[in-house]
Amino acid sequence: MNTATPERAVLADIAARRAQVAAALRQVLPERAVLSEPEDTRPYECDGLAAYRQLPMIVVLPDSEAQIVAVLQVCRELNVPIVPRGAGTGLSGGAMPIADGVVLSTARLNRIVRMDAYSRSAVVQPGVRNLAISEAAAQHGLYYAPDPSSQIACSIGGNVAENSGGVHCLKYGLTVHNVLRVRMVTLEGDVVELGGEALDAPGLDLLSVFIGSEGMLGIVTEVTVKLVPKPATARVIMASFDEVVAGCHAVAALIAAGIIPAGLEMMDRTSSRMVEPFVQAGYDTEAAAILLCEADGTIEEVEEEIARMTAVLNTAGASAIAVSQTEAERLKFWSGRKNAFPAAGRISPDYYCMDGTIPRKRLGQVLEGIAQMEVKYGLRCANVFHAGDGNLHPLILFNANIPDEFERAEAFGAEILALCVEVGGTITGEHGVGIEKINSMCVQFAPAELEAFFSVKRAFDPAGLLNPDKAIPTLNRCAEFGKMRVSGGMLPFSHLPRF
Amino acid sequence: MNTATPERAVLADIAARRAQVAAALRQVLPERAVLSEPEDTRPYECDGLAAYRQLPMIVVLPDSEAQIVAVLQVCRELNVPIVPRGAGTGLSGGAMPIADGVVLSTARLNRIVRMDAYSRSAVVQPGVRNLAISEAAAQHGLYYAPDPSSQIACSIGGNVAENSGGVHCLKYGLTVHNVLRVRMVTLEGDVVELGGEALDAPGLDLLSVFIGSEGMLGIVTEVTVKLVPKPATARVIMASFDEVVAGCHAVAALIAAGIIPAGLEMMDRTSSRMVEPFVQAGYDTEAAAILLCEADGTIEEVEEEIARMTAVLNTAGASAIAVSQTEAERLKFWSGRKNAFPAAGRISPDYYCMDGTIPRKRLGQVLEGIAQMEVKYGLRCANVFHAGDGNLHPLILFNANIPDEFERAEAFGAEILALCVEVGGTITGEHGVGIEKINSMCVQFAPAELEAFFSVKRAFDPAGLLNPDKAIPTLNRCAEFGKMRVSGGMLPFSHLPRF
């Protein structure tokens, strides 16, 4: 008996299972909405976290809520796990398929149902692209505020699953602050509406739990988003600093002065030098760090805020300050920041993007720690980040073809996240946990806290079929990972000694 | 055998039970922390909803987290229901005792643990008064934004339980927008920390579920609140309108102009005439409605916003406009609004304060409906409300000594709430459901939605001992109330036909 035999047996089992489940799904969906051949399912084998791939058993593309209810019923009856998928741009592997599971894509629910300028809201289906909402709202002078870098491609359903942010979330908030209502289907097939148009609602705030739940609680079928007025104008300051830590202090000084910039981003020299040849954004590549600080609002508000920010930045020791004079120049300043990830791909065969968030006052300490890790792991790291909300995006540059570099990059990333938790931060700011950061969740949370998450997960999905093994690690997994939180540990969370 | 016998038997049972539970509690608490005599427990028989009273079996006053854990263990082992209580200022009966239950007061956990001006946050115990946080933060130029009318007395633990608001919540948000982290004890005795200092956190957003959960999920032991800089200045406009509906349109016009006032309150003539003799706020008592619109920020910001608001209000047909010229005048303008409830108590033997929230565009329609109900029920209603966020506080004036008036007031209130739901709003904006609005929850939510609430409740409290029979009605209760939501009904919520 050789090792090929069990493999063949497993493959035969999967083929039989695929035939059974596909047949059941074709009873409730049109033929073209069920993909079961590998050549058709191949495009779904990964999301934006392309390092992790898995061919799904089946992909379904329903185009109505009734079809989604029917798909869930089939999966429930046949005990098939379901991986919900938006546009597949997620960066943490939340939509990575399961070998014996169904990928449920909401791409075909792509209709803008209603646009209400008076109440400043839009009702959209989950497959509508983020930017398409703002494009449709533009005729009313409105837009949808959260703007992830992938906003051309990513869909609102995926934004809800991951609680996506963007460069303007310091002032305008994350997805959870910009969604009024979600209509969703539970695994049991119940259609439930969470939230509403009022500022507060009675009952438990299940809308907030649902947003960012990474497909574990239900399938989104409709989203009511808040729209905000397009500011009359916006200008951005580019400030240079001779030392990274001075830039970090400037961020703290701006916030301490009571200013909430529309955007407050920082890039270190590695990043600006990586980006500048690629996009000619006009960055000061001699500076140790540059800060981009945006003001938006009425012309008077922007004038005043630019003046106040300039004064604070000068006091904080900026070595040079440039203010965008035209809309074209403003967009040029932003283009470098927004193209940091593609630029990393241009200068390095591979890169690994982290997403830790820390208290702002710890920025200097954590950047210092990352600099030491660059030496320890022998890898370069470019730091671009949402400085205003303490959300770091270290880009670890490596070459997967060099033996050991992928492993070193992974270890480097895990150590960055552990440092983020150690200083009172978290392992993800806006990209979600998915499969990528699931082990780091064992570092972040105590067993009692993970159990609280699971108890809510079970409340919505007792069978555990919705995106299993993502986002929340089991206690067994944490034990295997060797990072079970213990009582009296150094981390700023607590639980009772009985664990 | 007469009817007195079973009553005596019940009383004897309760006395025996009280002795048993009190003895067990005295094993884990100091003597003075366990109140079991009616003369000691009497002050706890109601909260701010004084129309509903019930003497509790026992009151406990723990002064540490460890004592709370111990109390919960005793109650769990002896199967005793627990009613958590903050300062007892709640308006919906959330802290009303249960005859065979324990009231757990957090009043003795009243320490400000840490004040961090740099990260703009404070760590406080649940019994700390709302206003005491701002008083302690004042030395750093900071304050805690949510300001319920009861802020002198109410505690942050109660604010968390009810997700309290205030007159500034349009701009600064409710409790949920101003709390970073909650430390709490589950019924099982686990200490869990929810939330964190970062803008987003991985895992499910249990912090948002916990805030506003009315004591059903756990006992708060520590709260980390966000502090915001005290604005340099603030001014308020008082605008008069000849018709209520014109005032409502002005509210919509302000929001549509992209202005987010620091406060945006409306009072009808019944209210201003009720208040004026009492506080001499300088109100225009000839106007059908007055609007109070506050701007805060830097002097330049406030100047500009006052000018923009004045222009919008004039265009919207204001018949008179006054702007506060001094801080004393600003406080005078607000004093009338803040004293509306006591003023109602001055002109009417009893009043019933509602708390419905509606989409802003429906303000005119709902006020018209309330005017018709005044005729139908033969009772006066004074309307004061947070116009900016559509949160109505109709004060129904009645005299409980006149046969039938209490019942008419209750029916009047229920009809107002049903109208709020009908136009797409909710039955409570900031006062919570408690016991007062529990039947109206059957109007607001479909069975699948109530079941979703219960499933989360059970996830935290499988035994159902934490504040049972509050906030979420059972399906049986809704059936008895005769308001079970049915498929195809007129209400803007949905569920599957299987219910």
Side-chain angles (χ1 to χ4, degrees), chain A residues 449-464:
Chain A
E449 288 154 350
L450 295 174
E451 178 48 31
F453 292 150
F454 270 119
S455 65
V456 172
K457 159 76 168 156
R458 281 193 299 268
F460 282 86
D461 172 20

Side-chain angles (χ1 to χ4, degrees), chain B residues 18 110 165 167 175 187 214 238 241 247 309 322 374 436 444:
Chain B
R18 172 182 290 121
N110 60 358
V167 298
T175 302
L187 186 68
E214 306 196 30
M238 178 175 65
F241 290 87
M309 294 200 297
E374 287 190 85
E436 185 203 21
Q444 173 94 58

Side-chain angles (χ1 to χ4, degrees), chain B residues 150-388:
Chain B
S150 59
Q151 70 178 137
I152 295 176
C154 66
S155 66
I156 190 72
N159 290 178
V160 165
E162 300 297 334
N163 191 17
S164 308
V167 298
H168 291 96
C169 65
L170 175 63
K171 182 166 179 178
Y172 294 99
L174 301 164
T175 302
V176 72
H177 306 110
N178 290 277
V179 165
L180 298 168
R181 190 193 295 248
V182 164
R183 185 178 165 104
M184 65 97 163
V185 185
T186 67
L187 186 68
E188 301 287 310
D190 293 330
V191 177
V192 177
E193 295 207 359
L194 309 174
E197 279 185 49
L199 188 60
D200 189 25
L204 299 172
D205 182 5
L206 300 185
L207 179 65
S208 296
V209 176
F210 191 83
I211 295 174
S213 63
E214 306 196 30
M216 294 187 299
L217 305 185
I219 310 293
V220 185
T221 59
E222 207 174 84
V223 183
T224 306
V225 298
K226 207 188 283 184
L227 301 173
V228 292
K230 213 169 146 52
T233 192
R235 295 177 73 190
V236 64
I237 298 175
M238 178 175 65
S240 308
F241 290 87
D242 292 338
E243 290 187 22
V244 172
V245 74
C248 296
H249 286 158
V251 169
L254 283 169
I255 302 292
I259 301 167
I260 301 184
L264 183 50
E265 299 286 308
M266 192 163 162
M267 298 174 73
D268 66 4
R269 190 188 285 131
T270 305
S271 303
S272 60
R273 289 191 175 171
M274 177 174 86
V275 158
E276 190 58 23
F278 184 42
V279 289
Q280 288 91 41
Y283 287 168
D284 178 352
T285 53
E286 294 307 308
I290 56 173
L291 267 185
L292 296 172
C293 318
E294 182 155 287
D296 68 7
T298 64
I299 291 167
E300 297 80 1
E301 278 170 344
V302 170
E303 286 303 304
E304 196 217 345
E305 193 166 297
I306 290 285
R308 291 175 67 210
M309 294 200 297
T310 304
V312 172
L313 292 166
N314 277 322
T315 306
S319 56
I321 283 185
V323 183
S324 67
Q325 299 301 320
T326 62
E327 179 65 6
E329 193 175 17
R330 183 181 80 87
L331 295 175
K332 196 179 74 162
F333 282 175
W334 279 118
S335 67
R337 167 64 186 86
K338 292 217 171 188
N339 284 294
F341 294 8
R346 193 162 166 272
I347 66 158
S348 175
D350 300 284
Y351 66 93
Y352 190 35
C353 171
M354 309 307 298
D355 178 42
T357 300
I358 54 175
R360 277 186 300 263
K361 61 182 170 186
R362 304 295 198 163
L363 279 173
Q365 176 188 349
V366 170
L367 290 175
E368 180 58 35
I370 292 176
Q372 287 166 10
M373 292 178 215
E374 287 190 85
V375 178
K376 174 174 170 185
Y377 292 102
L379 293 172
R380 275 189 308 160
C381 181
N383 288 293
V384 297
F385 48 98
H386 308 312

